[in-house]
Amino acid sequence: MNKSHQKPHSQDLRKHRYSQPGQVYHITTTTLSRRAVFKEIYLGREVVKCLYHPERDASTLAYVVMPDHMHWLMQLGEQKSLSSEIQQMKRVSSMHVNRLNGRSGSIWQSGFHDHAVRKDEDLVRIARYIITNPVRAGLVKRIEDYSLWNAVW
C-alpha cells in the first residue's frame, strides 16, 4: 500500500495536533495508571489552582477534577500551543501535588484527548456534561455535593 494512503496512527495525529488561538477545547486527561490521586480533595484543589494561574494562556470555562482524571473546557489564548498549555498545567500541578504528598515525578499519563468545539455546538450543554461527571460516576447524588468543579455559567 502506498504510504500516503495509509491510515495515520493516533500518535501520529497527536504529533501534528493543530492549535487554534481563541478556539474552545474540551480536554480530558488521566492520572498515571488511573490512580485515584484526587480522591483527597486537597490534592484536587492544587489542579484547580493551576487551571486559574495568572500565567495560564487559556480561559477556564468549566472543569471537573475526578479521582483519576479531569475534564477541562477551555479557550486557548494567543501565546501558547494547546500541547504546551496542557504540558505546563500537568507539570505545575504534578509539582504541587507531589510537594504535598512527599513524592516526585508526573502524576499524569502522557498525552491527552482534545475535542475542538465547533461553533454550532452548545457550550453550556458541554459544560453540563463535564460537571455532572461525579453524578454519573456515582460519587455523589447531586453535583452540589462535589467540590472539584466549576463553570462560568
Side-chain angles (χ1 to χ4, degrees), residues 27-47:
I27 305 298
T28 305
T29 189
T30 59
T31 59
L32 199 58
S33 302
R34 298 291 302 231
R35 285 190 359 239
V37 174
F38 309 119
K39 187 171 68 174
E40 302 293 336
I41 300 290
Y42 74 98
L43 296 176
R45 287 188 180 131
E46 294 302 314
V47 175

Side-chain angles (χ1 to χ4, degrees), residues 49-64:
K49 288 178 195 175
C50 290
L51 297 180
Y52 290 102
H53 194 276
E55 291 182 17
R56 179 101 298 118
D57 189 37
S59 299
T60 296
L61 303 176
Y63 70 84
V64 66

Side-chain angles (χ1 to χ4, degrees), residues 43-149:
L43 296 176
R45 287 188 180 131
E46 294 302 314
V47 175
V48 173
K49 288 178 195 175
C50 290
L51 297 180
Y52 290 102
H53 194 276
E55 291 182 17
R56 179 101 298 118
D57 189 37
S59 299
T60 296
L61 303 176
Y63 70 84
V64 66
V65 179
M66 300 291 285
D68 65 352
H69 70 283
M70 70 168 280
H71 294 274
W72 184 20
L73 185 64
M74 53 89 97
Q75 184 170 21
L76 189 61
E78 302 289 325
Q79 304 302 316
K80 296 181 185 170
S81 71
L82 180 61
S83 291
S84 66
E85 188 64 26
I86 303 303
Q87 284 176 328
Q88 182 185 26
M89 183 279 299
K90 286 181 172 185
R91 183 180 50 76
V92 173
S93 62
S94 289
M95 184 177 67
H96 290 214
V97 168
N98 284 334
R99 185 178 52 219
L100 292 173
N101 253 353
R103 295 178 176 238
S104 63
S106 182
I107 60 171
W108 301 102
Q109 286 189 15
S110 63
F112 58 93
H113 175 76
D114 66 283
H115 168 72
V117 178
R118 297 182 312 269
K119 291 187 188 308
D120 65 338
E121 290 183 271
D122 183 353
L123 288 177
V124 174
R125 184 186 59 73
I126 295 169
R128 272 194 202 114
Y129 169 80
I130 288 170
I131 65 173
T132 56
N133 240 266
V135 176
R136 285 192 309 280
L139 299 176
V140 292
K141 290 191 185 291
R142 302 172 320 143
I143 190 57
E144 296 85 6
D145 297 331
Y146 196 78
S147 62
L148 295 174
W149 71 274

